[in-house]
Amino acid sequence: MRHGTFLFCAGVLALGCGDRSSAWDADYESVSAGGPPTQGLSGSVAVRDDALDRLVMITSPGGRDLTTKALPVGKGIVYWQTDAKRERLFVLSEGVQPRRERDDEKPSLTVIDGGGWREVDGRAEFHEPSILARYELDDPPNPVLYLDPEGEYAVVTVGGGVVENPNELLLVNLPEDGDDEPTIEAKTIRSFGSSPQAISFTKRLRFPDGIGRRMMIVQTEQEVALIDPENLDTEITVRLSEPLNGVNMSSPVEVAVHDNQRSQFDPDDGERFPIIAIRLRNRSTVPLLSFEAAPSEAEAGVETTGVDFLVTVNIAEVGSVPSDIDFFWTEVDAAPALRLAALLPNRSEVALVNPDANYTDYVALGAAYDHMTRVTDDVAVQPLNSDVALLTGQSVYSVAFWELGSTGTRSYRSLETHSIGIPINQIIPITQDASAPDGEDYGHLKLLRGVTASEFYVLDLNQRQSAPMLTTGTSGANITPAPDGQRAWVSVANEEEIASVRFSDLHPTTLVLERPVAAVYDIAQPETTHGSPSRVAIALHIEGASLGATVLDARAPDTADTRFYGGILLGGIR
Amino acid sequence: MRRRTSLAMSAGGVIGALLLGVGCGGSDSEASGPPGILYTGGTSGFLPVGTGGRAGTAGGGTGGTLPPEAELEGSFEAPIVTGKYLWSANPQSGRVALVDAETLRVTTVESGFGPRYLAAIPTADPEDAATIVLNELGEDATLLTLVDGVIAEPVRFSTHAQANSLAVSPSGRWVVAWSDWREFNHLDPTDSFQDLTLILVTPSSGDPCATRRVAGYRPSSVTFDADEQNLLVVSEHGVTVIDLTDEANPEVRALVEVAAGGLADAAARDVVVTPDGSHAIVRHDDSNVLGFVDLATAVITDVTLDGRVTDLDVADEGATAVAVMRGIGQVAVLDLPEAITDPEHIHTTSLPRSFGSVSLAPDASVGVLYTNAEPTTVVAKLSLSDDETFLDVETEDLRAPVRAVLVAPDAEHAVALLDPPSGSVKAGAFSIIPTFAPRGPKIVGTDAPAMAVAIAPAPSTEALVTTRDDVTRTYGVHVIALPSLQEDYLPLVSPPLAVGLIPELGKGFVAQEHPEGRITFIDFPTNLPSGSAATPTARTLTGFELAARVTYPADN
């Protein structure tokens, strides 16, 4: 289908007489792989236009106005993803395959600043969406990208040839704000017969050699590797199993890291170093990695290389295969004590492991909770020495608030359960908006939803209340919190109705638009003349080759106050 | 009957891990516990002992219709302690893990094919450590030494086939690998197990080496005399004496018959060698005659007592032996060696009731009499002090049938393993008995049968008792402070395998069954002996060999 459209809007099309862009002849390509056709960022909406190897970035200068800007990305988008802050986009492209001519495009990674209105030094400034960097790759990338939540690194893997090295990683060192040139380094990790399955990054941790470093944690089928992204030669591999006599491999499925630091600790009581726990597939044992100073050959004047510390491995027995693990602070003898919690849905218990003593205590939960989320920072009243966790389960019709604590050396728990109508398999956090006026910060709310439920719940962590929100007859609704943390948008694919749920009073507003909605995005606008923040909601309509948008006031949506735009993918084509 | 276990086996480290009587042979004398398995304790490597497989070497006579008293045996599969280090073998991986009990740092080293049995070797420097490992499948032994914190290159020695036991000379200069026939399930009459491998660990010149020698049919014990001049191997043939003075060529000097019947009555007799190696003492079932065999001259001197001897114990100091005559309710104390020729040195006293076994303090200052041939809750403290209390007997009712008794190295206390009494809801029990202090025994009921005991060396201020029930999966260790008798319980995750103490660190440990290796270290709080309010704390190390699987940056 050609890029024709029967929806016109003034100012969208401009044709040079006698100089017609070849883009007009390009067939529209529906997005079938490599991610969704659209992505929402904090200040813009990105739309894929694979036929023209570009992204169309939509921003709003104010009111109900939209502007678009096309950004070229490489040919053949393989995968794209936003970062945790939703300010950057990462696009992997395979280029021209196979390359026959010297100037055939090579595979690439494009890093895009989503732009839009952002608060800088208390003032709203508009940033044009722009390309921050583009890296050429030697080989086509795999459709997966590992992003550092702190925005410093990204990891790309390549493959697709006759021979593929799955242990070869490309570490992209991302610049802050585009000031520096980003760099890319190749690293083949040490392998004992396996390949990476997941990659994550720690925050900066202090190690016994006195060096604070971040670690990239690479999980393979049977090992966990700790690699310093600032010095890729610093690679420590922990083999979790040694197949003997038919013993099955121990495969890591989850890694929990804790810095083991707390402000109450007295440095004179001894140094504390990070602890890492590894959950294994189908195993009731959890290896614990701790770090200690190496024997002091260096003190004897012997030059040392590599890392100057040892990794100690100790196996904790938790009694049953855990579904989730994480570190939590408990209180022992009126002081904070770190424990590894392992949820045991088979036993309706949680195991609390003292990582120093490797002693396990069991706490009955009364239900088969299988997921836990630390919510200590989200509640108004925070215990002094212990954490608060939210427990949910895919087969449990309740949620539980678990306030960890202890009496002497035995743990007790303050467990408060709330019945809800659906088993939960997803917890959607609400952005904590530090700039929100007092009483308008809803970071203490969580949206809880099940897999096929026709309702979701708004959970208030402070009040310990859960409010059901019924999405009658729409079990597959998309629920998207707004980046400013003030509302959530609910839409159902190809339906004309959308809803906004205001967190201040949980009032839902249903809006019936003129066309089926593919997605709803909430982006920032410049402040109003009164100085109050402004946001706009953009409902996208995708009908075959046509992309349109309905623009509404996000804070006070009213179908009587909208503007419709059609032919958005024609934007920029001349 | 038994002689005190050579303390040299746990050189420098846990000393005082003592032995318990365990049922063997007659079923009536067996203690209740995990079905089919009875456990003995100690850090010198004492393992689960199968029931009913040790016919012929069990102590105890057959007085009346009662079955024999129970004896214990040991093996070497459990971890051993040298100084502050624990050595633990993994037969599957072929490695031995060395655990620093102070830092819990683990070092592993390749030992051989199927390392299984270990024995500690004393070292001159207490900071160093050494062990000998029997690699069962490889039919060799590996000497591992830790010097200045570094494990030296292992030294390998070929051994004879089917070696499963180790005997270490008091100084650690010699190690003998031998085959204890009682560890095998199916025996052919031609399975003689007569081979020995003598390993010279510290030769006066040259490198460590090993030589093979042959002893009598089916050895039951291998000991060294006090000055390590002779190796004495007790077998069904008698006592083989091997002269070690020529270290390059140990000579089988003699095979001393220990009874007129030769092999004919081997199954019905018990032989123990005195600590100085001068005599072998032979006790026959259903006999009131003790045969004293001079190992230098082969002369046998029979000493006739008033009743059939059901148990004979020789103290570590070698100058005292105690013979229990259950049938007539008497006990005889023999001064060695004078009692062999002079009846004046045999002191007999009557007992207030029937006892069949005795457990002696190492210094022979006291003995505790008991019986496990029939359910009996009473024990008797027998004073052996050279004063006016000599042969005084004082009974104690422990409220539960006694299974075994162990006297502490300092002789101040004894620990008795008990079976749950009739009407009890407990699965087991144990008791701590003050032997001299005017205090009653402390009795502790346990949720699982009490299995093993370890007591600190003199002054014995701590004792550990492990419990195990594989049916209910209840495992734990009781920490007892002496003399306060404070008792604290620590649960364990896995079945306990061995228990011991590391006095120089103020710690105890319990090795447990786990495919990756598991040891729980127990820190004793300060002032625990006097009754500290603080409770012992535990720290468990699991996965010895995982540390070996951590790969660091190249050239690290």
Side-chain angles (χ1 to χ4, degrees), chain A residues 426-510:
Chain A
Q426 185 183 12
I427 300 175
I428 304 172
I430 306 302
T431 304
Q432 283 190 321
D433 188 356
S435 64
D438 288 344
E440 294 185 17
D441 180 5
Y442 302 103
H444 60 279
L445 299 180
K446 303 287 183 191
L447 304 183
L448 312 178
R449 65 176 310 184
V451 178
T452 58
S454 59
E455 59 189 302
F456 66 95
Y457 282 73
V458 180
L459 178 67
D460 186 327
L461 298 176
N462 288 338
Q463 302 298 322
R464 306 285 172 95
Q465 296 173 356
S466 55
M469 296 282 130
L470 305 180
T471 56
T472 308
T474 54
S475 61
N478 298 313
I479 303 172
T480 309
D484 67 344
Q486 298 296 309
R487 74 200 68 78
W489 292 94
V490 183
S491 64
V492 179
N494 301 320
E495 294 288 333
E496 293 164 354
E497 290 182 331
I498 63 175
S500 164
V501 179
R502 202 164 53 205
F503 293 143
S504 57
D505 55 4
L506 298 184
H507 173 71
T509 301
T510 299

Side-chain angles (χ1 to χ4, degrees), chain A residues 237-558:
Chain A
T237 308
V238 181
R239 283 174 287 162
L240 298 169
S241 60
E242 192 170 273
L244 293 171
N245 298 331
V247 175
N248 291 332
M249 285 192 305
S250 297
S251 298
V253 293
E254 180 185 0
V255 176
V257 183
H258 200 282
D259 61 3
N260 205 7
Q261 303 289 332
R262 198 166 173 102
S263 57
Q264 292 99 317
F265 290 146
D266 186 346
D268 292 337
D269 291 337
E271 294 186 283
R272 303 172 73 92
F273 301 114
I275 302 177
I276 297 175
I278 304 169
R279 181 164 65 92
L280 303 175
R281 178 172 292 116
N282 297 328
R283 295 291 175 96
S284 63
T285 53
V286 178
L288 297 171
L289 309 183
S290 57
F291 303 87
E292 59 180 64
S296 54
E297 286 96 353
E299 294 175 2
V302 176
E303 184 179 346
T304 59
T305 59
V307 295
D308 207 5
F309 58 83
L310 298 176
V311 178
T312 302
V313 186
N314 202 352
I315 299 179
E317 174 62 58
V318 297
S320 179
V321 179
S323 60
D324 196 3
I325 60 171
D326 204 352
F327 288 98
F328 289 86
W329 290 106
T330 66
E331 187 177 79
V332 176
D333 297 332
L338 190 66
R339 295 291 181 268
L340 174 72
L343 269 183
L344 309 174
N346 289 342
R347 293 167 43 154
S348 296
E349 287 181 331
V350 59
L352 283 177
V353 180
N354 179 335
D356 288 333
N358 196 1
Y359 175 78
T360 303
D361 211 350
Y362 294 93
V363 178
L365 299 176
Y369 298 110
D370 57 30
H371 182 73
M372 54 190 174
T373 307
R374 189 185 305 102
V375 295
T376 314
D377 295 335
D378 298 330
V379 298
V381 180
Q382 299 178 8
L384 178 62
N385 292 321
S386 57
D387 276 321
V388 181
L390 175 67
L391 307 179
T392 59
Q394 295 190 57
S395 60
V396 178
Y397 288 74
S398 66
V399 297
F401 294 91
W402 180 32
E403 188 170 319
L404 287 80
S406 77
T407 303
T409 59
R410 300 286 301 184
S411 296
Y412 72 90
R413 86 289 184 270
S414 169
L415 197 72
E416 188 179 325
T417 58
H418 295 267
S419 295
I420 57 175
I422 55 173
I424 302 299
N425 82 329
Q426 185 183 12
I427 300 175
I428 304 172
I430 306 302
T431 304
Q432 283 190 321
D433 188 356
S435 64
D438 288 344
E440 294 185 17
D441 180 5
Y442 302 103
H444 60 279
L445 299 180
K446 303 287 183 191
L447 304 183
L448 312 178
R449 65 176 310 184
V451 178
T452 58
S454 59
E455 59 189 302
F456 66 95
Y457 282 73
V458 180
L459 178 67
D460 186 327
L461 298 176
N462 288 338
Q463 302 298 322
R464 306 285 172 95
Q465 296 173 356
S466 55
M469 296 282 130
L470 305 180
T471 56
T472 308
T474 54
S475 61
N478 298 313
I479 303 172
T480 309
D484 67 344
Q486 298 296 309
R487 74 200 68 78
W489 292 94
V490 183
S491 64
V492 179
N494 301 320
E495 294 288 333
E496 293 164 354
E497 290 182 331
I498 63 175
S500 164
V501 179
R502 202 164 53 205
F503 293 143
S504 57
D505 55 4
L506 298 184
H507 173 71
T509 301
T510 299
L511 308 153
V512 181
L513 304 183
E514 294 184 25
R515 280 171 173 72
V517 175
V520 180
Y521 298 106
D522 188 319
I523 65 174
Q525 282 185 318
E527 294 172 348
T528 65
T529 52
H530 305 292
S532 56
S534 178
R535 300 190 70 83
V536 69
I538 301 174
L540 295 181
H541 316 283
I542 301 177
E543 295 179 23
S546 173
L547 175 68
T550 300
V551 183
L552 313 90
D553 184 339
R555 294 174 304 136
D558 183 357

Side-chain angles (χ1 to χ4, degrees), chain B residues 121 222 289 431 502 516:
Chain B
I121 296 177
V222 174
V289 175
S431 177
I502 308 170
E516 299 274 4

Side-chain angles (χ1 to χ4, degrees), chain A residues 190 192 233 235-237 239-242 245 292-293 295 305-307 309-311 313-315 317 356-359, chain B residues 92-93 95 103 105 491 493 514 516 518 538-543 546-556:
Chain A
R190 193 184 286 131
F192 295 91
D233 289 335
E235 177 182 6
I236 300 171
T237 308
R239 283 174 287 162
L240 298 169
S241 60
E242 192 170 273
N245 298 331
E292 59 180 64
T305 59
V307 295
F309 58 83
L310 298 176
V311 178
V313 186
N314 202 352
I315 299 179
E317 174 62 58
D356 288 333
N358 196 1
Y359 175 78
Chain B
Q92 284 199 325
S93 68
R95 296 194 194 99
T103 64
R105 193 169 294 157
V493 180
H514 191 280
E516 299 274 4
R518 171 171 285 157
R539 194 172 171 193
T540 299
L541 177 64
T542 305
L546 282 184
R549 297 192 214 126
V550 176
T551 307
Y552 293 90
D555 301 327
N556 200 73

